[in-house]
Amino acid sequence: MYVAVLTFVGFGVGTIFGYLRDFMRAWGLEKRNIAEEREQQKDFVPLYQDFENFYTRNLYMRIRDNWNRPICSVPGPQFDLMERVTDDYNWTFRFTGRTIKNVINMGSYNYLGFAETEPNALKTVTKELQKYGTGICSTRQEMGTLDKHVELEKLVAKFLGVDDAMVFGMGFATNSMNIPALVGKGCLILSDELNHTSLVLGARLSGATIRIFKHNNMQSLEKLLRDAIIYGQPRSRRAWRKIIILVEGIYSMEGSIVRLPEIVSLKKKYKAYLYLDEAHSIGAVGATGRGVVEYFGMSPDDVDVLMGTFTKSFGAAGGYIAGKKDLVDFLRTHSHSAVYATSMCPPVAEQIIRAMKCLMGLDGTTQGLQRVRQLGKNTRYFRRRLHEMGFIIYGNDDSPVVPLLLYMPGKIGAFARRMLEKNIGVVVVGFPATPITESRARFCVSAAHTREMLDTVLNALDELGDFLQLKYSRYSKSSHPELYEETRFELED
């Protein structure tokens, strides 16, 4: 309780001082660094919403140095950062010319370690770059479909075990531009309250009615489904044209895995459709990296629309939608991305093919399977150690997304800065991206992390957890005895 109270007090004090500083800026007692209307446009309708930026101005700006850090190397298990400092409390930055080398990367979605520059691994990508160039400069429906796209789509369909697939050049747009093609006015969307912004935007652009159910709560979802069947559309009481459930495989801020078997059971019971976003789960979970469908031992046919991105586990860019051939053929004609968006560039397509063939063992090695297994080992080890230390962490034991709760706003900046001093790069998140009392650090475990790297991070966390008093868990620490390196022991009589 005291943590919750102090968290609200922290935001309260920050808000009071924010109002005070805005007052001082208004009267010229403090310099205004924010965007404002020119004197000639004072009688225009305001272009900038001043109060809406209150939080950005007065709270986020104080700790802005913890975000948008310029990386000057491949964001693999380690990366290099360009050092920067500020002379005006984070309103502007200047570079010192120094590079911070070999920072352990605990923030990238590089789950399988395919974000790499190994020359031998990238030979095929280099070849396609020389053959096709860097871009297509056309949409898929005009002159932007190459043999490389066809090859990739066939491979994705084979990998997922479905009839067909279509790939898109941007992961975010895969959701936001295709959901409106599938549902519209007179349809009902049931969306998990913690769904990604791309799903939320796609739902809003569709014009369909949107209702929210509690995160991973089957009782909440079933109540909405039952009411939708019984009462139909508002006012007219006509039956809904379509009911579609939007969920994610792994939720990127919570680290939780969707309760897929129960949702599939409900969607069959109430004759609804299921749209599954596997952006963070494809490649990252399942015995062979085929996502939550494989993780739960289910059939791909149980999911009507399989969506995923290539920006995480495959170390590339873009996304896909897969399923029945009728669905994919419909999207090839009606998808806004297919009609208006530029095609995926060939070298990126080749990178995805390279990574996917590695996962499927089509490159003649077992390296892909080894990466999936290594990711699982790293994830379970990292989560177990954090739990034993006394931190509160969210999510499923097999989820490589590991949120560690910080709670108090003042600890967000302190945590990220001190971790960087120890050459560890982390992502910290606070309100309004999270609930006001649930500020957190979000770690992303990778198969490319060695045990030594993880131990370095864990030791730093153990020390920093004591210093900043972050070990909020009430659970006692592990009762397991320490494991010794020796393999032979002399037993006393």
Tab-separated table of all heavy atoms in Angstrom, residues 11 25 79 112-113 119 145 148 161 169 248 279 311 341 344 435 449 459 475 483:
chain	number	residue	atom	x	y	z
A	11	PHE	N	3.448	11.442	-8.613
A	11	PHE	CA	2.787	12.071	-9.753
A	11	PHE	C	2.092	13.362	-9.336
A	11	PHE	O	2.054	14.337	-10.098
A	11	PHE	CB	1.781	11.107	-10.375
A	11	PHE	CG	2.393	10.142	-11.353
A	11	PHE	CD1	2.597	8.820	-11.010
A	11	PHE	CD2	2.775	10.566	-12.618
A	11	PHE	CE1	3.165	7.931	-11.900
A	11	PHE	CE2	3.341	9.689	-13.518
A	11	PHE	CZ	3.541	8.364	-13.168
A	25	ARG	N	6.180	30.228	-17.109
A	25	ARG	CA	6.415	30.400	-18.545
A	25	ARG	C	5.452	31.413	-19.139
A	25	ARG	O	5.819	32.217	-20.004
A	25	ARG	CB	6.278	29.051	-19.262
A	25	ARG	CG	7.360	28.034	-18.909
A	25	ARG	CD	7.184	26.742	-19.694
A	25	ARG	NE	8.103	25.726	-19.227
A	25	ARG	CZ	7.741	24.560	-18.687
A	25	ARG	NH1	6.452	24.268	-18.569
A	25	ARG	NH2	8.629	23.690	-18.275
A	79	PHE	N	25.522	-3.579	-28.355
A	79	PHE	CA	25.573	-2.513	-29.343
A	79	PHE	C	26.414	-1.361	-28.815
A	79	PHE	O	26.827	-1.342	-27.653
A	79	PHE	CB	24.174	-2.031	-29.745
A	79	PHE	CG	23.308	-1.577	-28.597
A	79	PHE	CD1	23.626	-0.442	-27.858
A	79	PHE	CD2	22.141	-2.259	-28.276
A	79	PHE	CE1	22.819	-0.006	-26.824
A	79	PHE	CE2	21.327	-1.833	-27.232
A	79	PHE	CZ	21.676	-0.699	-26.513
A	112	LEU	N	15.534	-14.213	-31.715
A	112	LEU	CA	16.315	-15.361	-32.195
A	112	LEU	C	17.724	-14.974	-32.646
A	112	LEU	O	18.463	-15.811	-33.137
A	112	LEU	CB	15.575	-16.065	-33.332
A	112	LEU	CG	14.248	-16.725	-32.934
A	112	LEU	CD1	13.587	-17.375	-34.144
A	112	LEU	CD2	14.449	-17.753	-31.834
A	113	GLY	N	18.068	-13.704	-32.478
A	113	GLY	CA	19.430	-13.274	-32.799
A	113	GLY	C	19.719	-13.135	-34.276
A	113	GLY	O	20.886	-13.160	-34.680
A	119	PRO	N	29.032	-12.206	-42.224
A	119	PRO	CA	29.130	-12.194	-43.703
A	119	PRO	C	28.638	-13.476	-44.355
A	119	PRO	O	27.939	-13.436	-45.370
A	119	PRO	CB	30.624	-11.975	-43.958
A	119	PRO	CG	31.144	-11.328	-42.713
A	119	PRO	CD	30.336	-11.903	-41.588
A	145	THR	N	5.028	-6.698	-57.573
A	145	THR	CA	5.101	-8.104	-57.166
A	145	THR	C	6.220	-8.798	-57.929
A	145	THR	O	6.167	-8.926	-59.152
A	145	THR	CB	3.768	-8.827	-57.416
A	145	THR	OG1	2.749	-8.220	-56.617
A	145	THR	CG2	3.875	-10.303	-57.036
A	148	LYS	N	10.472	-12.843	-55.800
A	148	LYS	CA	10.928	-12.952	-54.414
A	148	LYS	C	9.749	-12.876	-53.446
A	148	LYS	O	9.725	-13.577	-52.432
A	148	LYS	CB	11.940	-11.838	-54.120
A	148	LYS	CG	12.728	-11.987	-52.844
A	148	LYS	CD	13.441	-13.311	-52.706
A	148	LYS	CE	14.445	-13.600	-53.767
A	148	LYS	NZ	15.160	-14.881	-53.505
A	161	GLY	N	1.688	-23.721	-41.903
A	161	GLY	CA	0.782	-24.840	-42.141
A	161	GLY	C	-0.591	-24.413	-42.593
A	161	GLY	O	-1.601	-25.017	-42.212
A	169	GLY	N	4.925	-4.603	-46.463
A	169	GLY	CA	6.201	-3.948	-46.194
A	169	GLY	C	6.336	-3.359	-44.813
A	169	GLY	O	7.439	-3.015	-44.391
A	248	GLU	N	-3.693	-10.780	-29.171
A	248	GLU	CA	-2.269	-10.935	-29.497
A	248	GLU	C	-1.748	-12.256	-28.943
A	248	GLU	O	-2.293	-12.786	-27.965
A	248	GLU	CB	-1.449	-9.785	-28.896
A	248	GLU	CG	-1.745	-8.428	-29.492
A	248	GLU	CD	-0.821	-7.353	-28.955
A	248	GLU	OE1	0.415	-7.573	-28.980
A	248	GLU	OE2	-1.314	-6.310	-28.507
A	279	ALA	N	2.820	-10.942	-33.567
A	279	ALA	CA	4.019	-10.131	-33.777
A	279	ALA	C	5.156	-10.555	-32.856
A	279	ALA	O	6.304	-10.684	-33.284
A	279	ALA	CB	3.686	-8.655	-33.567
A	311	THR	N	9.551	-8.157	-37.977
A	311	THR	CA	10.418	-7.152	-37.358
A	311	THR	C	11.040	-7.615	-36.053
A	311	THR	O	11.921	-6.930	-35.520
A	311	THR	CB	9.612	-5.870	-37.091
A	311	THR	OG1	8.471	-6.199	-36.287
A	311	THR	CG2	9.121	-5.258	-38.382
A	341	ALA	N	0.278	0.851	-50.704
A	341	ALA	CA	1.590	0.857	-50.047
A	341	ALA	C	2.667	0.257	-50.945
A	341	ALA	O	2.413	-0.655	-51.734
A	341	ALA	CB	1.519	0.081	-48.734
A	344	MET	N	7.386	-4.666	-50.281
A	344	MET	CA	8.574	-4.986	-49.487
A	344	MET	C	9.797	-5.060	-50.401
A	344	MET	O	9.753	-5.671	-51.466
A	344	MET	CB	8.359	-6.330	-48.779
A	344	MET	CG	9.547	-6.815	-47.980
A	344	MET	SD	9.268	-8.473	-47.330
A	344	MET	CE	8.012	-8.179	-46.095
A	435	PRO	N	-0.548	1.814	-16.933
A	435	PRO	CA	-1.361	2.409	-15.858
A	435	PRO	C	-0.495	3.256	-14.939
A	435	PRO	O	0.707	3.005	-14.785
A	435	PRO	CB	-1.928	1.187	-15.133
A	435	PRO	CG	-1.942	0.104	-16.163
A	435	PRO	CD	-0.747	0.354	-17.037
A	449	HIS	N	21.869	-13.883	-26.425
A	449	HIS	CA	22.464	-13.565	-25.128
A	449	HIS	C	23.186	-14.801	-24.579
A	449	HIS	O	22.604	-15.891	-24.516
A	449	HIS	CB	21.396	-13.130	-24.123
A	449	HIS	CG	20.857	-11.759	-24.384
A	449	HIS	ND1	19.503	-11.463	-24.306
A	449	HIS	CD2	21.474	-10.606	-24.726
A	449	HIS	CE1	19.331	-10.185	-24.580
A	449	HIS	NE2	20.504	-9.642	-24.841
A	459	ASN	N	23.317	-9.601	-11.979
A	459	ASN	CA	24.110	-9.090	-10.859
A	459	ASN	C	23.923	-7.582	-10.696
A	459	ASN	O	23.824	-7.069	-9.571
A	459	ASN	CB	25.595	-9.413	-11.065
A	459	ASN	CG	25.888	-10.898	-10.959
A	459	ASN	OD1	25.146	-11.629	-10.295
A	459	ASN	ND2	26.949	-11.362	-11.592
A	475	TYR	N	7.051	-12.665	-1.801
A	475	TYR	CA	7.445	-14.074	-1.785
A	475	TYR	C	8.849	-14.203	-1.228
A	475	TYR	O	9.725	-13.390	-1.489
A	475	TYR	CB	7.395	-14.674	-3.191
A	475	TYR	CG	6.006	-14.787	-3.744
A	475	TYR	CD1	5.552	-13.889	-4.704
A	475	TYR	CD2	5.144	-15.781	-3.304
A	475	TYR	CE1	4.270	-13.985	-5.217
A	475	TYR	CE2	3.862	-15.884	-3.812
A	475	TYR	CZ	3.430	-14.985	-4.772
A	475	TYR	OH	2.164	-15.081	-5.271
A	483	LEU	N	24.102	-24.196	-5.922
A	483	LEU	CA	24.686	-25.245	-6.751
A	483	LEU	C	26.182	-25.001	-6.879
A	483	LEU	O	26.620	-23.893	-7.164
A	483	LEU	CB	24.036	-25.247	-8.135
A	483	LEU	CG	22.533	-25.565	-8.155
A	483	LEU	CD1	22.012	-25.468	-9.576
A	483	LEU	CD2	22.267	-26.954	-7.599
